[in-house]
Amino acid sequence: MLHNALHARIDPRTILEYLLSETHPTGRHKAKAFRKLGFEPEHWSWLALALKLVAISGSVERHTVIPFGTLYLVSGTLIGPSGRAARFGTVWLAPTGDMAPRLVTAYPE
């Protein structure tokens, strides 16, 4: 479990403009994987909840201290609205002096 996962923050723009965007240069490839699980922009909060559940129930694979805080790679199973499940890696930044980790990215493993 990610330290302070219950306080994890996910910016809606990270989901809407990146992870579920079909036009973002990097995100569009991830959007296909998320959509296969049934995640759609209209219900972006479902993906936010599923990613937070990965932070809570997944395993921290590694962490790296950087000048701004600590980056954590958390791996876990993401279950979509379609009932399908897949393994995803998530990256979280715990800024120095802030207890709440923030989602940086997620990707299919």
Side-chain angles (χ1 to χ4, degrees), residues 37 77-80 82-88:
L37 297 178
T77 301
L78 193 72
I79 301 171
S82 69
R84 292 182 179 169
R87 296 284 298 171
F88 274 77

Side-chain angles (χ1 to χ4, degrees), residues 37-89:
L37 297 178
F39 293 108
E40 297 292 337
E42 301 81 45
H43 303 289
W44 66 268
S45 62
W46 295 355
L47 179 54
L49 178 60
L51 290 168
K52 193 167 182 175
L53 289 173
V54 169
I56 293 167
S57 65
S59 59
V60 176
E61 301 296 329
R62 72 175 174 263
H63 69 279
T64 306
V65 177
I66 61 172
F68 310 107
T70 305
L71 284 173
Y72 293 90
L73 170 60
V74 181
S75 182
T77 301
L78 193 72
I79 301 171
S82 69
R84 292 182 179 169
R87 296 284 298 171
F88 274 77

Side-chain angles (χ1 to χ4, degrees), residues 16-38:
L16 291 168
E17 298 173 14
Y18 176 48
L19 296 177
L20 289 178
S21 172
E22 293 183 337
T23 59
H24 190 279
T26 307
R28 69 175 184 237
H29 305 293
K30 297 173 184 190
K32 289 179 185 176
F34 288 118
R35 288 178 187 237
K36 284 182 183 178
L37 297 178

